[in-house]
Coordinates of all heavy atoms in Angstrom, one line a residue:
M14 N 2.6 9.0 1.1 CA 1.5 9.7 0.5 C 1.8 11.2 0.5 O 1.6 11.9 -0.6 CB 0.2 9.5 1.4 CG -0.3 8.0 1.2 SD -0.8 7.6 -0.5 CE -1.3 5.9 -0.2
T17 N 4.6 12.1 -1.9 CA 4.2 11.9 -3.4 C 3.4 13.2 -3.7 O 3.5 13.7 -4.8 CB 3.4 10.6 -3.6 OG1 4.2 9.5 -3.3 CG2 2.9 10.5 -5.0
L18 N 2.4 13.5 -2.8 CA 1.6 14.7 -3.1 C 2.4 15.9 -3.3 O 2.2 16.8 -4.2 CB 0.5 14.9 -2.0 CG -0.4 16.1 -2.2 CD1 -1.1 16.1 -3.5 CD2 -1.4 16.2 -1.0
C21 N 4.1 16.0 -6.6 CA 3.1 16.3 -7.7 C 2.7 17.8 -7.7 O 2.6 18.4 -8.7 CB 1.9 15.4 -7.6 SG 2.2 13.6 -7.9
L22 N 2.6 18.3 -6.5 CA 2.2 19.7 -6.4 C 3.4 20.6 -6.9 O 3.1 21.6 -7.6 CB 1.9 20.1 -4.9 CG 0.6 19.6 -4.4 CD1 0.4 19.8 -2.9 CD2 -0.6 20.3 -5.1
L25 N 3.3 20.6 -10.5 CA 2.1 21.3 -11.0 C 2.3 22.7 -10.9 O 2.0 23.5 -11.9 CB 0.9 20.8 -10.2 CG -0.5 21.4 -10.5 CD1 -0.9 20.8 -11.9 CD2 -1.5 21.0 -9.5
K76 N -11.3 -5.1 -10.6 CA -10.5 -4.5 -9.5 C -9.1 -4.8 -9.9 O -8.2 -3.9 -9.6 CB -10.9 -5.1 -8.2 CG -10.0 -4.7 -7.0 CD -10.2 -3.2 -6.7 CE -9.4 -2.8 -5.5 NZ -9.6 -1.3 -5.2
E79 N -7.9 -2.4 -12.5 CA -7.8 -1.0 -11.9 C -6.5 -0.8 -11.2 O -5.7 0.1 -11.4 CB -9.0 -0.7 -11.0 CG -8.9 0.6 -10.3 CD -10.0 0.8 -9.3 OE1 -11.0 0.0 -9.3 OE2 -9.9 1.7 -8.4
V80 N -6.2 -1.7 -10.3 CA -5.0 -1.7 -9.5 C -3.7 -1.9 -10.4 O -2.7 -1.2 -10.2 CB -5.0 -2.7 -8.3 CG1 -3.6 -2.8 -7.6 CG2 -6.1 -2.4 -7.3
V82 N -3.1 -1.0 -13.5 CA -2.6 0.2 -14.3 C -2.4 1.4 -13.3 O -1.6 2.3 -13.7 CB -3.7 0.6 -15.3 CG1 -3.8 -0.6 -16.3 CG2 -5.0 0.9 -14.8
E83 N -2.9 1.4 -12.1 CA -2.6 2.4 -11.1 C -1.2 2.3 -10.8 O -0.4 3.3 -10.6 CB -3.5 2.3 -9.9 CG -4.9 2.9 -10.1 CD -5.8 2.7 -8.9 OE1 -5.4 2.0 -8.0 OE2 -6.8 3.4 -8.9
F84 N -0.6 1.1 -10.7 CA 0.8 0.9 -10.4 C 1.7 1.5 -11.5 O 2.8 2.0 -11.3 CB 1.2 -0.6 -10.1 CG 2.5 -0.8 -9.6 CD1 2.9 -0.3 -8.4 CD2 3.4 -1.5 -10.3 CE1 4.2 -0.5 -7.9 CE2 4.8 -1.7 -9.9 CZ 5.1 -1.2 -8.7
L86 N 1.1 4.2 -13.1 CA 1.3 5.6 -12.8 C 2.4 5.9 -11.9 O 3.2 6.8 -12.1 CB -0.1 6.2 -12.3 CG -1.3 6.2 -13.2 CD1 -2.5 6.6 -12.4 CD2 -1.1 7.1 -14.4
F235 N -4.9 25.1 2.0 CA -5.2 23.7 1.8 C -4.4 22.8 2.8 O -3.3 23.0 3.0 CB -4.8 23.2 0.4 CG -5.0 21.8 0.1 CD1 -6.2 21.2 -0.3 CD2 -3.9 20.9 0.2 CE1 -6.4 19.9 -0.6 CE2 -4.1 19.6 -0.1 CZ -5.3 19.1 -0.5
F237 N -3.7 18.6 3.8 CA -3.8 17.2 3.5 C -3.4 16.4 4.7 O -2.3 16.6 5.3 CB -2.8 16.8 2.4 CG -2.8 15.3 2.1 CD1 -3.8 14.7 1.5 CD2 -1.6 14.6 2.4 CE1 -3.8 13.3 1.2 CE2 -1.6 13.2 2.1 CZ -2.7 12.6 1.5
G410 N -10.0 -0.9 1.6 CA -9.2 -0.2 0.7 C -8.8 1.1 1.3 O -8.6 1.3 2.5
T411 N -8.6 2.1 0.3 CA -8.3 3.5 0.8 C -9.4 4.4 0.3 O -10.1 4.1 -0.7 CB -6.9 4.0 0.1 OG1 -7.0 3.7 -1.3 CG2 -5.8 3.2 0.8
E412 N -9.5 5.5 1.0 CA -10.6 6.5 0.6 C -10.2 7.8 0.9 O -9.6 8.1 2.0 CB -11.9 6.1 1.4 CG -13.1 7.0 0.9 CD -14.4 6.3 1.3 OE1 -14.4 5.1 1.7 OE2 -15.4 7.0 1.3
L413 N -10.5 8.8 0.0 CA -10.3 10.2 0.2 C -11.5 10.8 0.7 O -12.6 10.8 0.1 CB -9.8 10.9 -1.1 CG -8.5 10.4 -1.7 CD1 -8.3 11.0 -3.0 CD2 -7.3 10.9 -0.8
I414 N -11.5 11.6 1.8 CA -12.6 12.3 2.4 C -12.2 13.8 2.1 O -11.2 14.3 2.6 CB -12.7 12.1 3.9 CG1 -12.7 10.6 4.2 CG2 -14.0 12.7 4.4 CD1 -13.7 9.7 3.6
T415 N -13.1 14.4 1.3 CA -12.7 15.8 0.8 C -13.8 16.8 1.3 O -15.0 16.5 1.2 CB -12.7 15.8 -0.8 OG1 -11.9 14.7 -1.2 CG2 -12.2 17.1 -1.3
A416 N -13.3 17.9 1.8 CA -14.2 19.0 2.2 C -15.0 19.5 1.0 O -14.5 19.4 -0.2 CB -13.5 20.1 2.9
H419 N -13.1 21.7 -1.2 CA -11.9 21.2 -1.6 C -10.7 21.8 -0.9 O -9.5 21.7 -1.5 CB -11.8 21.3 -3.2 CG -12.9 20.7 -3.9 ND1 -13.5 21.3 -5.0 CD2 -13.7 19.6 -3.7 CE1 -14.5 20.6 -5.4 NE2 -14.6 19.6 -4.6
S420 N -10.8 22.3 0.3 CA -9.7 22.9 1.0 C -9.0 22.0 1.9 O -7.9 22.3 2.5 CB -10.2 24.2 1.7 OG -11.1 23.8 2.7
L421 N -9.6 20.8 2.2 CA -9.0 19.8 3.1 C -9.3 18.4 2.6 O -10.4 18.2 2.1 CB -9.6 20.0 4.5 CG -9.1 19.0 5.6 CD1 -8.9 19.8 6.9 CD2 -10.0 17.8 5.8
V422 N -8.3 17.6 2.6 CA -8.5 16.1 2.2 C -7.8 15.2 3.3 O -6.7 15.5 3.8 CB -7.9 15.8 0.9 CG1 -7.9 14.3 0.6 CG2 -8.6 16.6 -0.2
A423 N -8.6 14.2 3.7 CA -8.0 13.2 4.6 C -8.0 11.8 3.8 O -8.9 11.5 3.2 CB -8.8 13.1 5.8
L424 N -6.9 11.1 4.0 CA -6.7 9.8 3.4 C -6.9 8.8 4.5 O -6.1 8.8 5.4 CB -5.3 9.7 2.7 CG -5.1 8.3 2.1 CD1 -6.0 8.1 0.9 CD2 -3.6 8.2 1.7
L425 N -7.9 7.9 4.4 CA -8.1 6.9 5.3 C -7.9 5.5 4.6 O -8.0 5.4 3.4 CB -9.5 7.0 5.9 CG -10.0 8.3 6.5 CD1 -11.4 8.1 7.0 CD2 -9.0 8.7 7.6
P429 N -4.4 -1.2 -1.2 CA -3.0 -1.3 -1.7 C -2.3 0.1 -1.6 O -1.3 0.3 -2.3 CB -3.2 -1.7 -3.2 CG -4.4 -1.0 -3.6 CD -5.3 -1.0 -2.4
G430 N -2.7 1.0 -0.8 CA -2.2 2.3 -0.6 C -0.9 2.7 -1.2 O -0.9 3.4 -2.2
S432 N 1.4 1.4 -3.1 CA 1.7 1.1 -4.4 C 0.9 1.9 -5.4 O 1.3 2.2 -6.6 CB 1.4 -0.4 -4.7 OG 2.3 -1.2 -4.0
T433 N -0.2 2.5 -5.0 CA -1.1 3.3 -5.8 C -1.0 4.7 -5.4 O -2.0 5.6 -5.7 CB -2.5 2.8 -5.8 OG1 -3.0 2.7 -4.5 CG2 -2.5 1.3 -6.4
A434 N 0.0 5.1 -4.6 CA 0.1 6.5 -4.1 C -0.1 7.5 -5.2 O -0.7 8.6 -5.0 CB 1.4 6.7 -3.3
V435 N 0.6 7.4 -6.3 CA 0.5 8.4 -7.4 C -0.9 8.5 -7.9 O -1.4 9.6 -8.1 CB 1.5 8.0 -8.5 CG1 1.3 9.0 -9.7 CG2 2.9 8.0 -8.0
A436 N -1.6 7.4 -8.2 CA -2.9 7.4 -8.6 C -3.9 8.2 -7.6 O -4.7 8.9 -8.0 CB -3.5 6.0 -8.9
I437 N -3.7 7.9 -6.3 CA -4.4 8.5 -5.3 C -4.2 10.0 -5.2 O -5.1 10.9 -5.1 CB -4.2 7.9 -4.0 CG1 -4.7 6.4 -3.9 CG2 -4.9 8.6 -2.8 CD1 -4.2 5.6 -2.7
M438 N -2.9 10.4 -5.3 CA -2.6 11.8 -5.3 C -3.0 12.6 -6.5 O -3.4 13.8 -6.4 CB -1.1 12.0 -5.0 CG -0.6 11.5 -3.7 SD -1.6 12.2 -2.3 CE -2.6 10.8 -1.8
L439 N -3.1 11.9 -7.7 CA -3.6 12.6 -8.8 C -5.1 12.9 -8.7 O -5.6 13.9 -9.1 CB -3.4 11.7 -10.1 CG -1.9 11.6 -10.6 CD1 -1.9 10.6 -11.7 CD2 -1.4 13.0 -11.0
Q440 N -5.8 11.9 -7.9 CA -7.2 12.2 -7.6 C -7.3 13.5 -6.7 O -8.2 14.3 -6.9 CB -7.8 11.1 -6.8 CG -8.0 9.8 -7.6 CD -8.7 8.8 -6.8 OE1 -9.7 9.0 -6.0 NE2 -8.1 7.6 -6.8
V441 N -6.4 13.7 -5.8 CA -6.4 14.9 -4.9 C -6.2 16.1 -5.8 O -6.9 17.1 -5.6 CB -5.2 14.8 -3.9 CG1 -5.1 16.2 -3.1 CG2 -5.5 13.7 -2.9
L442 N -5.3 16.0 -6.8 CA -5.0 17.2 -7.7 C -6.3 17.5 -8.5 O -6.7 18.7 -8.6 CB -3.9 16.9 -8.6 CG -2.5 16.7 -8.0 CD1 -1.4 16.6 -9.1 CD2 -2.1 17.8 -7.0
E443 N -6.9 16.5 -9.0 CA -8.1 16.7 -9.8 C -9.2 17.3 -9.0 O -10.0 18.1 -9.5 CB -8.6 15.4 -10.4 CG -7.6 14.7 -11.4 CD -7.7 15.4 -12.8 OE1 -8.5 16.3 -12.9 OE2 -6.9 15.0 -13.7
R444 N -9.4 16.9 -7.7 CA -10.5 17.4 -6.9 C -10.2 18.8 -6.4 O -11.1 19.6 -6.3 CB -10.7 16.5 -5.7 CG -11.2 15.1 -6.0 CD -11.4 14.4 -4.7 NE -11.8 13.0 -5.0 CZ -12.2 12.1 -4.1 NH1 -12.3 12.5 -2.8 NH2 -12.5 10.9 -4.3
C445 N -8.9 19.1 -6.1 CA -8.6 20.3 -5.2 C -7.7 21.4 -5.9 O -7.6 22.5 -5.4 CB -8.0 19.9 -3.9 SG -8.9 18.7 -3.0
F446 N -7.2 21.0 -7.1 CA -6.2 22.0 -7.7 C -6.6 22.2 -9.2 O -5.7 22.2 -10.0 CB -4.8 21.5 -7.5 CG -4.3 21.6 -6.1 CD1 -4.6 20.5 -5.2 CD2 -3.8 22.7 -5.6 CE1 -4.2 20.6 -3.9 CE2 -3.3 22.8 -4.2 CZ -3.6 21.7 -3.4
D447 N -7.9 22.3 -9.5 CA -8.3 22.4 -10.8 C -7.8 23.7 -11.5 O -7.4 23.7 -12.7 CB -9.8 22.3 -11.0 CG -10.5 23.4 -10.1 OD1 -9.9 23.8 -9.0 OD2 -11.7 23.7 -10.4
L450 N -4.3 23.0 -12.5 CA -4.3 22.0 -13.6 C -4.6 22.7 -14.9 O -4.0 22.5 -16.0 CB -5.3 20.9 -13.4 CG -4.8 19.9 -12.4 CD1 -6.0 19.0 -12.0 CD2 -3.7 19.0 -12.9
R455 N -1.6 20.4 -16.3 CA -1.8 19.1 -17.0 C -0.7 18.8 -17.9 O -0.2 17.6 -18.0 CB -3.1 19.0 -17.7 CG -4.3 18.9 -16.7 CD -5.6 18.7 -17.5 NE -6.7 18.4 -16.6 CZ -7.4 19.3 -16.0 NH1 -7.2 20.6 -16.2 NH2 -8.4 18.9 -15.1
L458 N 2.4 17.8 -15.8 CA 2.1 16.4 -15.3 C 2.3 15.4 -16.4 O 2.9 14.3 -16.2 CB 0.8 16.3 -14.6 CG 0.6 16.9 -13.2 CD1 -0.8 16.7 -12.7 CD2 1.6 16.3 -12.2
I462 N 4.3 12.0 -16.5 CA 3.4 10.8 -16.4 C 2.8 10.7 -17.8 O 1.6 11.2 -17.9 CB 2.4 10.9 -15.2 CG1 3.1 11.1 -13.9 CG2 1.6 9.6 -15.1 CD1 2.2 11.4 -12.8
Y465 N -1.0 10.0 -18.2 CA -2.0 10.8 -17.4 C -3.1 11.3 -18.3 O -2.9 11.8 -19.4 CB -1.2 12.1 -16.8 CG -2.1 13.0 -16.1 CD1 -2.9 12.7 -14.9 CD2 -2.3 14.3 -16.6 CE1 -3.7 13.5 -14.3 CE2 -3.2 15.2 -15.9 CZ -3.9 14.8 -14.8 OH -4.7 15.7 -14.2
G466 N -4.4 11.1 -17.8 CA -5.5 11.5 -18.6 C -6.0 10.5 -19.6 O -6.9 10.7 -20.3

Side-chain angles (χ1 to χ4, degrees):
M14 294 298 178
T17 298
L18 179 58
C21 290
L22 285 171
L25 186 66
K76 177 65 174 179
E79 177 188 344
V80 174
V82 298
E83 284 178 343
F84 188 65
L86 294 171
F235 176 81
F237 174 69
T411 51
E412 186 162 345
L413 293 171
I414 313 300
T415 309
H419 304 141
S420 64
L421 181 144
V422 174
L424 178 68
L425 305 181
S432 296
T433 59
V435 174
I437 295 169
M438 294 307 105
L439 289 176
Q440 290 182 47
V441 174
L442 299 186
E443 294 283 357
R444 293 184 188 186
C445 306
F446 292 88
D447 54 336
L450 286 170
R455 284 186 174 84
L458 281 178
I462 306 173
Y465 175 64

